Amino acid sequence: MSGAPWFWTVSCGLFLLGGWCVVRRKNAIGILMGVELILNAAALNFVVAARLRGDPVDGQVVSIFVILLAAAEAVVVFAASVVVYQLFHTADVDAVRDLKG
Amino acid sequence: MRPAMQATVREFILMAVSCVTLASAIVVVFSRNIVRSAFSLFGTLAGVAALYVFLEAELLAGVQVLVYVGGIQVLILFGVMLIPQSYEVEVSRPAWKTFPAFMVLAGLGWILYRTVAALPPETSWVGREAGGMRAIGDALLGPYLLPFELISLLLVGALIGAVVWVRQVVR
């Protein structure tokens, strides 16, 4: 039970929950949380698959890259939501309709 | 401890960690309070770090705790606290509006479930070696040197870009 299928089940769950979070949330920060869940599921999958392949280093390196890219993405989303708040005075992504604030 | 009992204890802890991970992810997605979501994300990220330990990827567990729990999570909390209306936004869309997306996600979940269920159940890596920290360090400074350096450039670029962007608007 503690083999690859279990970890894949967990990462499927994380991925679907993250996708639902992205679809359902109206708040920019809430959407960011969903994206983080999806990225976590993907990184977990890389580690499991590489472990199965018998050469675990590649998968772990890719997972490290995924985590670092997620950091860059979080910084940009954070800056974007601060800017959107300054321009529109809301964190609701549905209220942001103009291209030129 | 006997090996059999040790394996049972290990499985039990793995189950508990997975349940905590998924349960806090559920709170992240379905909580009506965005602050509660943000704090619940701690549980998910720490749970994934623990899963990395079970996969014998200790370096990755450390990176997960440092970057995610220490960096991204704090950034998200800052975001929630700094944007004053972020907990006044009605957090979620009504269910009927997201029904098509729900159907797509349900179909995707069904495909994923079938894929995982179709795997041979004994798919296991017992006896396979786990890559140690030294091997990962060698890989990062060997075949992966270029992407490694590019990522550091990307991080600096994202940081400077974010600061410049926010300063421009705030002025």
Side-chain angles (χ1 to χ4, degrees):
Chain A
M1 197 56 195
S2 60
W6 177 255
F7 287 96
W8 270 321
T9 312
V10 174
S11 100
C12 278
L14 280 182
F15 172 76
L16 292 174
L17 284 168
W20 187 234
C21 191
V22 171
V23 169
R24 192 163 161 274
R25 290 282 184 197
K26 290 175 87 170
N27 191 320
I29 304 290
I31 293 173
L32 175 62
M33 289 184 214
V35 174
E36 300 302 342
L37 288 184
I38 293 176
L39 288 170
N40 262 292
L44 190 60
N45 254 0
F46 269 115
V47 178
V48 178
R51 189 77 200 277
L52 274 179
R53 241 181 92 230
D55 182 16
V57 173
D58 287 345
Q60 294 191 22
V61 170
V62 172
S63 292
I64 289 175
F65 286 156
V66 169
I67 292 174
L68 293 180
L69 288 174
E73 170 255 351
V75 170
V76 173
V77 171
F78 178 60
S81 43
V82 170
V83 168
V84 164
Y85 180 70
Q86 290 289 336
L87 293 177
F88 293 89
H89 301 286
T90 179
D92 184 349
V93 290
D94 282 350
V96 183
R97 288 163 185 270
D98 306 326
L99 278 178
K100 242 184 131 183
Chain B
M1 247 194 289
R2 291 193 312 274
M5 194 182 158
Q6 212 172 355
T8 316
V9 170
R10 185 183 176 282
E11 291 226 331
F12 178 75
I13 297 175
L14 178 60
M15 296 287 157
V17 166
S18 313
C19 289
V20 168
T21 308
L22 285 178
S24 41
I26 288 172
V27 176
V28 170
V29 177
F30 292 103
S31 170
R32 299 189 66 81
N33 182 344
I34 193 81
V35 180
R36 186 169 296 157
S37 288
F39 276 105
S40 181
L41 197 60
F42 267 117
T44 312
L45 299 176
V48 173
L51 288 178
Y52 285 145
V53 173
F54 274 98
L55 287 162
E56 293 174 42
E58 288 87 1
L59 177 67
L60 212 48
V63 170
Q64 170 92 5
V65 170
L66 282 177
V67 177
Y68 259 113
V69 184
I72 296 177
Q73 172 70 54
V74 172
L75 204 64
I76 287 176
L77 277 177
F78 265 123
V80 170
M81 303 294 180
L82 267 184
I83 298 174
Q85 289 189 338
S86 73
Y87 27 76
E88 288 165 19
V89 174
E90 207 221 324
V91 189
S92 302
R93 287 170 221 281
W96 59 270
K97 270 190 180 173
T98 49
F99 184 71
F102 177 77
M103 290 310 288
V104 171
L105 269 180
L108 195 58
W110 174 245
I111 294 170
L112 287 174
Y113 167 73
R114 291 302 298 257
T115 314
V116 172
L119 290 169
E122 70 274 19
T123 312
S124 170
W125 46 68
V126 177
R128 302 242 172 105
E129 59 164 325
M133 269 185 213
R134 177 177 293 270
I136 294 170
D138 283 343
L140 277 180
L141 291 180
Y144 293 100
L145 185 59
L146 183 64
F148 188 60
E149 296 297 332
L150 282 181
I151 279 204
S152 62
L153 270 183
L154 177 87
L155 281 172
V156 173
L159 212 80
I160 295 174
V163 171
V164 169
W165 195 13
V166 172
R167 274 177 62 97
Q168 244 174 16
V169 173
V170 170
R171 268 186 192 165

